[in-house]
């Protein structure tokens, strides 16, 4: 701050040097006669300068001095400040850190004497001391005053460093305990008959139960009630009356603590952790609690019970409650879907943070307090079954016990303890200022400066605070990922003998909790990957903690780990492989997602492991366009010696590009930490359909080139074209689709018809043979059954032969099939001529006649009746089932056949484009079109998911539980929600079937 020289006084300069940000205002305040002792005493000025905010401390002191009832009170206060350093430091420390407590002292100026009560540094007040401090409270208003007076003493000891953050949090919890007891006593005094009728125990939960309360926090509780002894019988009526009485007492106690009076509020008492939450009864008997937790409780409810502690009311009943439920808590890790439930809860916490607050969220954000608490509680639930030493409700005490037991590395535990203490101290300082419940890092520099100084950062408090905060959150994020997985490696990696390592049994137990079905095999894989002193093993030990977490986040973690071992065995000696995974975070996560999502992508990768490199390139997973693919395939064919080697090269390109497509699809569907799955499912599906169709076309073009070169050199005696049909022609191929095609040829000038037909037939036969040769590459099946006369007709015809057939013999279903015909390889001019030939058939002038429409409807009904596989569930069959692919496609194709001659937008081979065009032409309502589109996209994605998961095509959902769960993950469903997936599929397709019946059958 720059001040004109003429205005500078010696006092002004001293104030500036002592840290006052507004020395002019401070000088005016010090000019008051009552503060002459302060103004002339360098010790008092030094003490003010040591406060977190000297300006705030001075203002609070002036208000406190002015608030004293008489001169005697002012002299006593100032004399004590001058002569008693402990009181001086505590009072000015509080005034400089908390505006809210300064306001309390201004309203109750005699309460400064409370700071003398705990003057001895080694005296740590407990519940009994706080009960004495609240003893004079007779109503909610006086209880609030007494509570703030006790809180003043805790804050003073905290800001002066007399207590550390854990001790301050424990004192806050003890003060809350005393307050709950006082409030319950008031409620009982107001309703003695209710108090006599029942036993009521108050169970503290959350931070209060764990002896680690904040300055401002809801106090979470659960109430347990029983009939009082000697009140009569034990029938249901007596019990009901007792519970009603206990409920009235509990409700009154909550109001005493929670309601706002002229003195503000203490804190809300929150009972929503009780069975059934806010919808459940406020008070239950112990047997009712036990029945609920045995039958209905979710995993998170057992996690919450880790901190349960009786604090008020009938403590014997409270202890019985805790001991009765303890066995259920310590076997929660054995429950079905334990890990998925825990992971889901963690994700939900982060997802619910407003986007603008994530970077400032101290409690729930990445690297925040919840990450530490979550990891510690998870380890307690897994290992606390057999080790009672780690069953503490306090996070720091539990962390210390976990380290002592070898479940957490000692160095990691020290770093995590340090980070947690810093973050809790930061949280305390933020809340202490205005006594408001918040976990957001302030944005105002004045707030950051005060907080930094209160934590001992005096040189550059804002810079130092931000640097420390970022450093500690980074440590928490790293250790949160590492904490649950690292000891698994310590159990198998033969680390230094001084390390406390997880036992093999404990490692196996942890793998089971993570969701690994074969922990013994998983341990063997870990040992093979991480044992030894080689650089490779060292890097693997760094990678595996994170990879294990990503594998565990999938439907089949065992397969992910096994596949990673296979890839690492194949590429482990390749210098770029481990470097890629270590240095490119996206590559490692992408690989983990791909390896644990099913069989297809790993099988493709294991046949050519070098394709891992695609996962580390930011654009490596972008699909390649048709022109580039065909150019590469033709170049590979041109370099090969002989047709078989040429087609092998083409199939190798196809394998690599299939891996690129499947990997992009999996990552886009599952999402990663860097790029959550947020893309439209229809866009993902279109990308797959285009990529696989383009790749199939390029492979066929390369095979055609290889066959012609092998048999005829540069020039084939015929012009030859391949016409894509069905999904191939519609650019809608799935991973498991055959390539439906027609072959057309025309003799070159001077070539006889017989010679030309023979050459064309040889080309087709050789192409089909080469593409199906046994190989490590996936085969490409050519299906020509949509040709004229079907399987009985010739494989290849001339253009004139097609024209003659279609003119004389064509049936309406053939016109329908031709809607998706599109040239894909060979002579482009001949392909266009074929399209010109068939356009009048597939877009007939004036549309279809009534007889043709009836025939199409008859064929559809017959197909539904005859082609559905025996035993298949028609509500879940993606192709032929209710509202599936066939229903949508036949509906769209009927509109194309009927209106394509007059609506150019309908003249497309692509189903979704045609549906959008029909909607634009008002041939179908927008809502109906959206229903059909949603069902078609969903059914097509299910087929892709089945192929990705099982490695073979299928038209219905898998029956195997793990495979079904993997399909659900691909479709965006969290673990444990396959039932929701099936229900949603049935709902979407049921609506589509209703639209189809109206639009196709006219029902």
């Amino acid at each position: 701050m720059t001040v004109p020289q003429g205005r500078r006084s010696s006092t002004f300069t001293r104030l500036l040097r002592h840290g006052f940000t507004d020395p002019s205002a401070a000088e005016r305040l010090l000019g008051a006669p009552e503060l002459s002792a302060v103004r002339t005493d360098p010790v008092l000025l030094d003490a003010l300068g040591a406060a977190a905010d000297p300006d705030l401390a001075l203002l609070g002191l002036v208000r406190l001095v002015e608030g004293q009832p008489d001169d005697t009170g002012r002299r006593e206060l100032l004399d004590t400040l001058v002569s008693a350093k402990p009181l001086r430091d505590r009072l000015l420390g509080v005034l400089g850190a908390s505006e809210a407590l300064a306001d309390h002292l201004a309203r109750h100026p005699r309460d400064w004497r409370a700071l003398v009560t705990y003057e001895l540094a080694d005296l740590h007040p407990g519940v009994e001391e706080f009960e004495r401090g609240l003893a004079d409270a007779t109503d909610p208003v006086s209880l609030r005053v007494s509570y703030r007076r006790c809180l003043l003493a805790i804050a003073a000891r905290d800001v002066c460093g007399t207590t550390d953050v854990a001790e301050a949090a424990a004192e806050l919890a003890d003060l809350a305990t005393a307050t709950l007891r006082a409030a319950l006593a008031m409620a009982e005094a107001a309703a003695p008959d209710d108090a006599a009728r029942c036993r009521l125990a108050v169970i503290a939960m959350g931070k209060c139960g764990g002896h680690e309360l904040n300055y401002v926090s809801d106090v979470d509780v659960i109430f347990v009630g029983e009939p009082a002894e000697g009140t009569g019988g034990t029938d249901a009526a007596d019990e009901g009356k007792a519970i009603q009485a206990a409920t009235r007492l509990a409700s009154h106690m909550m109001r005493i603590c929670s309601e706002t009076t002229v003195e503000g509020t203490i804190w809300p008492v929150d009972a929503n952790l009780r069975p059934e939450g806010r919808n459940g009864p406020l008070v239950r008997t112990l047997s009712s609690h036990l029945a609920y937790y045995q039958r209905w409780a979710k995993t998170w409810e057992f996690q919450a019970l880790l901190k349960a502690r009786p604090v008020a009311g009938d403590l014997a009943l409270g202890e019985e409650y805790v001991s009765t439920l303890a066995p259920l808590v310590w076997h929660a890790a054995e429950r079905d879907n334990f890990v998925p439930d825990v992971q889901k809860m963690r994700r939900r916490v982060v997802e619910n943070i407003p986007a603008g607050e994530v970077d400032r969220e101290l409690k729930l954000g990445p690297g925040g307090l919840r990450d530490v608490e979550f990891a510690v509680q998870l380890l307690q639930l897994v290992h606390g079954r057999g080790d009672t030493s780690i069953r503490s409700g306090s996070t720091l005490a539990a962390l210390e016990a976990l380290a002592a037991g070898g479940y957490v590395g000692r160095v990691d535990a020290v770093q995590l303890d340090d980070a947690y203490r810093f973050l809790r101290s930061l949280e305390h300082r933020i809340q202490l200022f205005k006594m408001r419940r918040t976990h957001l890092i302030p944005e105002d520099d004045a707030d950051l400066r005060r907080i930094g100084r209160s934590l001992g950062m005096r040189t550059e408090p804002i810079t130092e605070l931000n640097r420390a905060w970022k450093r500690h959150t980074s440590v928490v994020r790293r250790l949160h990922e590492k904490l649950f997985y690292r000891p698994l490696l310590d159990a198998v990696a033969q680390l230094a003998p001084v390390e406390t390592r997880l036992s093999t049994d404990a490692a196996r137990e942890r793998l089971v909790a993570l969701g690994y079905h074969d922990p013994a095999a998983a341990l063997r894989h870990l040992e093979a990957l991480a044992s030894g002193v080689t650089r490779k093993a060292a890097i693997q030990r760094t990678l595996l903690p994170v990879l294990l977490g990503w594998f565990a986040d999938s439907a089949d973690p065992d397969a992910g780990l096994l596949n990673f071992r296979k890839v690492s065995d194949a590429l482990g000696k390749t210098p770029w492989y481990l470097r890629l995974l270590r240095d490119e975070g996206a590559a490692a996560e992408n690989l983990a997602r791909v390896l644990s999502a099913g069989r297809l992508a790993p099988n493709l990768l294991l046949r050519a492991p070098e394709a891992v490199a695609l996962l580390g390139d930011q654009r490596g997973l972008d699909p390649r366009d048709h022109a580039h693919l065909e150019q590469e395939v033709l170049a590979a064919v041109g370099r090969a010696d002989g047709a078989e080697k040429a087609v092998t090269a083409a199939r190798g390109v196809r394998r690599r590009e299939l891996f690129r497509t499947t990997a992009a699809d999996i990552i886009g569907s599952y999402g990663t930490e860097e790029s959550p799955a947020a893309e439209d499912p229809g866009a993902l599906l279109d990308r797959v359909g285009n990529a696989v169709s383009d790749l199939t076309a390029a492979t066929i073009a390369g095979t055609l080139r290889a066959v012609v070169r092998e048999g005829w050199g540069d020039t084939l005696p015929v012009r030859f074209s391949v016409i894509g049909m069905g999904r191939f022609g519609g650019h809608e191929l799935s991973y498991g689709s055959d390539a439906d095609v027609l072959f057309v040829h025309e003799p070159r000038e001077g070539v006889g018809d017989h010679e030309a037909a023979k050459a064309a037939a040889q080309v087709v036969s050789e192409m089909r043979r080469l593409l199906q040769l046994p190989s490590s590459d996936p085969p490409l099946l050519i299906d020509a059954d949509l040709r004229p006369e079907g399987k009985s007709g010739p494989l290849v015809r001339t253009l004139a032969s097609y024209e003659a057939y279609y003119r004389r013999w064509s049936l309406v279903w053939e016109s329908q099939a031709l809607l998706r015909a599109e040239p894909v390889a060979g002579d482009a001019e001949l392909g266009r001529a074929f399209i010109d030939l068939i356009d009048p058939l597939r877009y007939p002038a004036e549309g279809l006649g009534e007889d043709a429409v009836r025939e199409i409807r008859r064929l559809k009904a017959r197909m539904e009746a005859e082609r559905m596989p025996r035993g298949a569930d028609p509500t879940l069959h993606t192709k032929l089932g209710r509202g599936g692919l066939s229903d949508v496609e036949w509906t769209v194709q009927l509109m194309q056949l009927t209106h394509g001659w007059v609506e150019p937008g309908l003249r497309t081979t692509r189903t979704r484009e045609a549906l959008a065009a029909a909607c634009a032409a008002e041939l179908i309502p927008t809502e109906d079109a959206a229903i059909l589109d949603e069902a078609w996209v969903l059914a097509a994605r299910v087929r892709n998911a089945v192929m990705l998961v099982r490695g073979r095509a299928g038209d219905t959902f898998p029956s195997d539980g793990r495979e079904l769960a993997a399909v659900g993950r691909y479709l965006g469903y969290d673990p444990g929600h396959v039932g929701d997936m099936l229900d949603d599929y049935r709902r979407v397709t049921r609506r589509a079937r209703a639209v189809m019946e109206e639009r196709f059958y006219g029902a």
Side-chain angles (χ1 to χ4, degrees):
M1 179 177 179
T2 304
V3 180
Q5 185 66 33
R7 288 184 55 204
R8 290 187 185 275
S9 66
S10 59
T11 303
F12 184 98
T13 303
R14 279 190 298 152
L15 291 172
L16 192 63
R17 188 175 64 249
H18 278 88
F20 287 85
T21 57
D22 191 352
S24 298
E27 197 171 18
R28 287 194 299 273
L29 288 173
L30 287 170
E34 298 89 344
L35 296 183
S36 59
V38 177
R39 187 169 60 251
T40 58
D41 191 328
V43 174
L44 284 176
L45 276 181
D46 287 343
L48 283 167
D53 186 339
D55 302 85
L56 185 66
L58 177 58
L59 177 60
L61 178 60
V62 170
R63 294 173 65 199
L64 178 59
V65 171
E66 291 175 346
Q68 297 304 309
D70 49 39
D71 289 341
T72 302
R74 282 191 287 273
R75 281 196 301 273
E76 179 188 0
L77 170 61
L78 293 173
D79 289 346
T80 307
L81 277 175
V82 171
S83 60
K85 184 179 187 305
L87 174 73
R88 179 170 65 241
D89 291 342
R90 289 174 183 174
L91 177 59
L92 297 183
V94 168
L95 293 175
S98 178
E99 185 180 86
L101 290 179
D103 290 342
H104 172 83
L105 284 171
R107 291 194 305 272
H108 304 280
R110 294 181 181 274
D111 278 3
W112 67 269
R113 293 178 176 83
L115 300 181
V116 181
T117 306
Y118 307 112
E119 196 164 301
L120 295 177
D122 59 348
L123 178 61
H124 297 284
V127 177
E128 292 76 13
E129 286 81 2
F130 289 126
E131 285 185 299
R132 286 193 289 272
L134 302 176
D136 294 338
T138 57
D139 56 60
V141 174
S142 60
L143 181 62
R144 279 151 178 72
V145 175
S146 298
Y147 175 84
R148 284 293 174 98
R149 187 184 306 122
C150 294
L151 191 67
L152 183 68
I154 295 175
R157 292 158 52 78
D158 181 17
V159 298
C160 291
T162 306
T163 57
D164 66 15
V165 65
E167 292 169 331
E171 289 183 9
L172 288 167
D174 286 342
L175 175 57
T177 297
T179 306
L180 289 171
R181 292 178 181 179
L184 181 57
M186 290 180 187
E188 290 173 339
D193 290 343
D194 285 342
R197 184 179 291 275
C198 67
R199 300 169 64 199
L200 175 64
V202 183
I203 311 298
M205 305 287 284
K207 290 189 179 301
C208 184
H211 255 108
E212 49 190 16
L213 196 63
N214 299 328
Y215 277 103
V216 188
S217 175
D218 292 355
V219 171
D220 296 307
V221 299
I222 285 178
F223 296 106
V224 189
E226 296 287 348
E229 295 179 4
T231 57
T234 58
D235 60 21
D238 290 334
E239 184 177 280
K241 291 177 182 178
I243 294 302
Q244 290 174 3
T247 300
R248 288 190 291 270
L249 290 176
S251 298
H252 192 184
M253 186 203 80
M254 293 173 68
R255 288 195 301 274
I256 290 172
C257 295
S258 305
E259 287 181 348
T260 302
T261 70
V262 292
E263 288 291 335
T265 187
I266 302 178
W267 19 249
V269 177
D270 188 343
N272 287 338
L273 290 178
R274 67 185 184 269
E276 301 180 74
R278 65 183 62 191
N279 297 319
L282 183 63
V283 182
R284 289 176 182 256
T285 62
L286 178 55
S287 61
S288 176
H289 275 282
L290 180 61
Y292 172 84
Y293 284 108
Q294 286 175 330
R295 298 185 62 188
W296 308 111
K298 297 180 174 60
T299 300
W300 69 264
E301 293 178 277
F302 293 106
Q303 190 171 350
L305 285 171
L306 282 171
K307 296 183 180 296
R309 179 172 63 92
V311 291
D314 191 314
L315 295 182
L317 176 59
E319 292 291 352
E320 187 179 0
Y321 170 88
V322 173
S323 62
T324 300
L325 294 183
L328 299 181
V329 174
W330 299 114
H331 286 85
E334 299 169 5
R335 294 162 56 91
D336 292 339
N337 297 315
F338 168 72
V339 172
D341 286 347
V342 172
Q343 292 168 337
K344 179 181 177 182
M345 186 165 62
R346 177 190 171 195
R347 284 191 296 268
R348 185 187 301 149
V349 166
V350 177
E351 290 167 358
N352 287 338
I353 304 173
E357 297 179 359
V358 171
D359 292 337
R360 298 192 295 123
E361 175 57 65
L362 184 65
K363 177 181 178 181
L364 305 178
L369 292 162
R370 184 60 60 84
D371 271 358
V372 181
E373 295 160 358
F374 208 89
V376 169
Q377 290 166 20
L378 195 56
L379 289 175
Q380 286 181 280
L381 287 172
V382 170
H383 299 294
R385 289 173 288 177
D387 189 344
T388 58
S389 70
I390 62 174
R391 297 182 180 182
S392 171
S394 165
T395 300
L396 290 175
L399 179 59
E400 182 180 3
L402 286 166
Y407 305 107
V408 179
R410 290 191 181 95
V411 174
D412 290 345
V414 169
Q415 291 180 332
L416 206 58
D417 181 279
D418 185 47
Y420 188 72
R421 288 176 184 275
F422 172 82
L423 294 174
R424 286 300 304 272
S425 298
L426 182 54
E427 180 185 45
H428 279 190
R429 296 301 189 270
I430 292 170
Q431 293 183 348
L432 186 59
F433 180 48
K434 289 187 177 292
M435 296 302 292
R436 290 179 181 170
R437 185 186 181 197
T438 178
H439 309 285
L440 291 178
I441 302 294
E443 296 179 294
D444 184 74
D445 281 355
D447 290 329
L448 294 174
R449 179 177 182 272
R450 181 190 65 255
I451 294 168
R453 283 173 57 89
S454 75
L455 295 174
M457 303 168 184
R458 297 305 174 101
T459 306
E460 295 286 344
I462 297 176
T463 301
E464 293 175 47
L465 176 64
N466 283 323
R467 185 182 297 126
W469 171 42
K470 297 299 183 185
R471 183 179 73 252
H472 285 295
T473 54
S474 176
V475 167
V476 171
R477 290 190 69 178
R478 176 176 60 81
L479 293 179
H480 178 77
E481 293 173 340
K482 177 182 177 182
L483 196 59
F484 201 66
Y485 310 109
R486 183 80 220 185
L488 292 170
L489 305 182
D490 293 350
V492 299
Q494 301 175 15
L495 300 180
V498 296
E499 288 279 342
T500 300
R501 297 190 290 134
L502 199 64
S503 70
T504 301
D505 288 341
R508 185 178 293 109
E509 185 176 67
R510 188 172 297 188
L511 284 164
V512 171
L514 278 168
Y516 287 83
H517 294 269
D518 189 350
L523 284 173
R524 289 195 300 271
H525 300 324
L526 292 176
E527 184 171 9
L529 287 163
S531 294
V533 295
T534 64
R535 185 172 178 273
K536 172 187 172 183
I539 296 176
Q540 295 279 29
R541 286 194 291 271
T542 301
L543 290 169
L544 278 166
V546 182
L547 289 170
L548 284 170
W550 286 324
F551 294 148
D553 192 37
S554 73
D556 194 350
D558 299 80
L561 181 56
L562 172 61
N563 289 328
F564 179 69
R565 179 181 175 183
K566 290 178 179 178
V567 172
S568 293
D569 287 346
L571 290 177
K573 295 182 180 179
T574 308
W576 57 263
Y577 166 64
L578 291 175
R579 187 168 61 245
L580 171 76
L581 298 185
R582 182 193 62 196
D583 298 341
E584 299 290 341
E589 184 174 3
N590 289 345
L591 179 62
R593 299 301 181 198
V594 167
L595 293 179
S596 56
R599 297 179 183 175
L600 179 60
N603 288 345
L604 292 169
L605 178 60
L606 291 170
R607 289 178 182 130
E610 65 277 2
V612 166
L614 298 175
L615 302 175
D617 184 353
Q618 187 174 5
R619 304 299 300 274
L621 297 178
D622 290 348
R624 303 179 66 197
D625 61 47
H626 178 267
H628 283 92
L629 283 172
E630 185 169 305
Q631 182 180 11
E632 181 180 1
V633 170
L634 293 178
V637 166
R639 291 191 297 269
D641 183 15
E644 288 195 7
K645 291 183 179 179
V647 175
T648 298
R651 291 172 68 179
V653 174
R654 177 171 178 263
R655 177 196 59 235
R656 184 199 67 212
E657 294 304 317
L658 273 177
F659 173 73
R660 189 196 306 270
T661 302
T662 57
D665 189 20
I666 290 166
I667 293 164
S669 298
Y670 279 58
T672 63
E673 291 184 4
E674 292 189 4
S675 56
E679 192 168 357
D680 171 48
L684 286 170
L685 178 66
D686 289 344
R687 185 183 303 166
V688 171
N690 283 323
V692 177
S693 300
D694 287 345
L695 181 54
T696 300
T699 306
I700 289 175
T703 304
L704 176 59
R705 173 73 62 86
V707 170
V708 171
R709 188 184 64 177
E710 178 85 356
W712 294 272
D714 294 334
T715 306
L716 187 66
V718 297
R719 296 164 59 209
F720 188 91
S721 184
V722 183
I723 309 298
M725 300 289 287
R727 300 192 182 284
F728 188 14
H731 292 258
E732 297 163 354
L733 283 180
S734 63
Y735 297 120
S737 298
D738 295 344
D740 291 314
V741 298
L742 298 177
F743 298 108
V744 58
H745 79 276
E746 281 291 295
R748 295 190 184 276
E749 187 175 350
V751 177
D753 290 346
H754 177 73
E755 180 186 354
K758 181 180 178 182
Q762 288 176 342
V763 168
V764 171
S765 176
E766 186 66 1
M767 286 178 64
R768 299 179 78 184
R769 182 186 74 83
L770 291 172
L771 287 171
Q772 297 178 48
L773 282 175
S775 167
S776 60
D777 298 317
L780 176 57
L781 302 179
I782 301 294
D783 188 341
D785 289 352
L786 291 175
R787 65 188 184 271
E789 302 177 74
K791 295 181 180 179
S792 303
L795 278 171
V796 60
R797 291 174 180 260
T798 64
L799 200 60
S801 176
Y802 277 109
E803 190 276 333
Y805 174 85
Y806 288 136
R807 175 166 38 82
R808 297 183 61 190
W809 309 109
S810 178
L811 301 175
V812 67
W813 73 264
E814 291 177 296
S815 296
Q816 184 179 352
L818 290 170
L819 284 169
R820 298 170 113 186
E822 180 173 288
V824 294
D827 190 297
E829 184 179 344
L830 181 59
R832 284 193 297 271
F834 180 83
I835 296 301
D836 292 340
L837 168 67
I838 65 171
D839 271 350
L841 277 79
R842 55 183 182 173
Y843 309 124
E846 306 301 327
L848 291 179
E850 291 185 7
D851 290 345
V853 172
R854 277 196 298 272
E855 176 65 10
I856 288 177
R857 289 171 175 166
R858 186 188 68 81
L859 289 171
K860 178 70 168 70
R862 180 182 172 188
M863 183 178 71
E864 291 175 8
E866 297 178 0
R867 293 183 59 187
M868 178 70 70
R870 180 175 298 178
D873 184 347
T875 68
L876 294 176
H877 197 280
T878 60
K879 182 177 180 181
L880 302 175
R882 180 193 68 187
L885 297 170
S886 175
D887 276 1
V888 177
E889 290 165 2
W890 282 62
T891 304
V892 172
Q893 290 162 12
L894 182 59
M895 289 188 287
Q896 289 181 281
L897 288 166
T898 305
H899 302 284
W901 67 281
V902 73
E903 292 292 343
L906 292 173
R907 299 172 203 161
T908 174
T909 62
R910 305 177 187 227
T911 301
R912 298 188 73 206
E913 281 188 8
L915 182 57
C919 182
E922 299 183 353
L923 300 175
I924 183 172
T926 301
E927 182 180 357
D928 286 358
I931 289 171
L932 292 179
D933 184 75
E934 181 184 15
W936 191 87
V937 168
L938 178 57
R941 294 196 76 221
V942 170
R943 293 183 90 204
N944 277 341
V946 170
M947 184 67 183
L948 284 170
V949 170
R950 303 178 68 194
R952 62 181 187 275
D955 289 320
T956 190
F957 289 87
S959 57
D960 178 82
R962 273 190 282 182
E963 292 179 347
L964 187 61
V967 169
R969 293 303 307 278
Y970 173 85
L971 295 177
Y973 289 86
D974 290 333
H977 286 267
V978 293
D980 294 339
M981 172 183 67
L982 298 178
D983 290 344
D984 289 346
Y985 183 86
R986 288 188 172 103
R987 174 183 55 80
V988 169
T989 53
R990 182 175 62 247
R991 296 172 65 207
R993 178 66 184 191
V995 173
M996 179 268 185
E997 289 180 347
E998 179 181 356
R999 298 291 158 190
F1000 183 82
Y1001 286 120

